[in-house]
């Protein structure tokens, strides 16, 4: 990523109608709703059935889902059907086989984001962030509470907080509480000076997620990792890629394992979309901030892009 360059790489969902505070509170319920609707869309459960599945009244569910996602539950179901029909047609199915209920899909609220890739000074770029003054804070995102790490140049890292996350089972991460999330981000820059400021984090969160302002980013990483993170930014909204495909796209076709490590080391979740990278078999596994969050990001993006 060239120093001082600005590129129009990424589109993200933002809902200017629903306040960010409401969206962060609704995230867990909506993640469950996305999972339920994703599993049952072929059955077209009605509003009452879907609302009951997530423990809400039909009117509350309709209002909260629409304000959080930017589309209604019915539009979301239709978008999933539309995407599936498109897959079938591309695989050679007949139009009759791919027929779906028409006229309900919508674009959602997608908003272009300009990410300014700010270069760091030689001193700041040393291992461990030596010489860098960073701010760590907790602030809301549409995908739950965020752990934001910032410098004067821009966002350095974004993680997520799940206070009631279950214990890790095997290889899968289920989420991290605040102490664990903050320690995870701080440990990446052990020689930096880090202070906490939740107000500064919330100011940035609202500028980006509510006002849709450009997000300046200050990336620490080797040239190889920055190359892979750039490749992630080239994956279209609503699409996914594999580690092998990313290796080819970055000019390193034999480096799939190293690419996987670089994807896992991505410090800025959501904005640099490592959630769009899948294993060769298409499984959702080993997302650093919990598989449920990765599923929510992908399903919402696919619906909004349909």
């Amino acid at each position: 990523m060239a120093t001082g360059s600005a590129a129009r790489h990424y589109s993200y969902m933002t809902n200017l109608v629903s306040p960010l505070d409401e969206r962060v509170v609704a995230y867990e319920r909506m993640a469950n709703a996305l999972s339920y609707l994703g599993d049952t869309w072929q059955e077209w459960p009605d509003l009452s059935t879907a609302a009951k599945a997530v423990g809400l009244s039909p009117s509350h569910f309709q209002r909260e889902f629409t304000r959080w996602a930017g589309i209604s539950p019915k539009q979301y179901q239709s978008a999933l059907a539309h995407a599936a029909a498109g897959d079938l047609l591309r695989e050679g199915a007949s139009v009759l086989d791919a027929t779906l209920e028409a006229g309900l899909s919508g674009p959602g609220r997608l908003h272009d984001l300009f990410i300014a890739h700010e270069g760091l000074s030689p001193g700041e770029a040393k291992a461990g962030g030596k010489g860098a003054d960073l701010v760590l804070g907790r602030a809301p995102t549409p995908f739950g509470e965020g752990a934001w790490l910032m410098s004067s140049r821009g966002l350095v890292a974004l993680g997520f907080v799940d206070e009631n996350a279950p214990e890790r089972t095997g290889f899968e991460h289920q989420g991290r509480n605040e102490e664990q999330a903050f320690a995870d981000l701080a440990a990446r820059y052990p020689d930096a000076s880090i202070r906490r400021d939740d107000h500064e984090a919330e100011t940035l969160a609202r500028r980006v997620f509510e006002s849709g302002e450009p997000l300046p980013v200050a990336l620490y990483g080797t040239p190889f990792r920055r190359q892979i993170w750039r490749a992630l930014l080239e994956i279209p909204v609503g699409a996914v890629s594999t580690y092998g495909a990313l290796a080819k796209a970055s000019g390193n076709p034999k480096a799939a394992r190293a690419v996987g490590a670089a994807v896992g080391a991505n410090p800025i979740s959501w904005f640099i979309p490592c959630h769009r990278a899948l294993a060769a078999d298409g499984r959702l596994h080993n997302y650093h901030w919990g598989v449920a969050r990765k599923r929510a990001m992908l399903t919402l993006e696919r619906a909004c892009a349909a």
Side-chain angles (χ1 to χ4, degrees), residues 4 8 15 24 41 48 62 76 98 119 162 193 214 218 231 239 282 300:
R8 188 175 184 175
N15 185 341
V24 67
W41 67 265
S48 295
Q62 172 83 5
Y76 178 72
D162 294 290
S193 173
L300 185 57

Side-chain angles (χ1 to χ4, degrees), residues 33-51 53 61-62 65 69 71-85 99-106 299-300 302-304 306:
L34 289 171
S35 181
Y36 172 78
L37 293 174
D39 290 340
T40 63
W41 67 265
Q42 290 175 304
E43 303 166 16
W44 291 89
D46 61 20
L47 182 65
S48 295
T49 302
F61 176 61
Q62 172 83 5
F65 187 96
I71 54 177
S72 71
K74 189 73 170 179
Q75 288 174 315
Y76 178 72
Q77 289 172 307
S78 182
L80 292 179
H82 183 273
T99 297
L100 60 120
E101 186 171 331
L104 295 177
S105 62
T299 52
L300 185 57
R302 190 169 193 186
C304 291

Side-chain angles (χ1 to χ4, degrees), residues 5 7 10 61 110 147 192 200 247 284:
S5 67
Y10 187 68
F61 176 61
L110 294 178
E200 187 169 337
L284 302 184

Side-chain angles (χ1 to χ4, degrees), residues 1-4 116-126 129-130 132-134 150-156 189 217-222 226 229:
M1 300 177 186
T3 300
H117 301 296
E118 292 291 343
L120 303 176
S121 70
E124 290 174 322
K126 289 181 181 178
K130 185 176 181 180
D133 293 318
L134 305 180
M150 303 156 287
S151 77
S152 60
R153 296 174 183 268
L155 183 64
V156 174
Y189 313 99
V217 170
L219 285 174
Y220 288 70
T222 65
R226 289 163 66 90
W229 299 338

Side-chain angles (χ1 to χ4, degrees), residues 96 221 233 265:
L96 179 61
L233 288 164

Side-chain angles (χ1 to χ4, degrees), residues 1 12 26-27 31 51 56 61 63 69 82 109 114 131 133 153 160 185 216 228 237 251 258 261-262 281 293:
M1 300 177 186
Y12 77 103
Y27 160 70
L56 297 174
F61 176 61
R63 181 173 61 253
H82 183 273
R109 293 181 179 271
F114 290 84
D133 293 318
R153 296 174 183 268
F160 296 97
L185 297 189
I228 300 306
V237 174
D281 60 5
R293 180 167 284 107

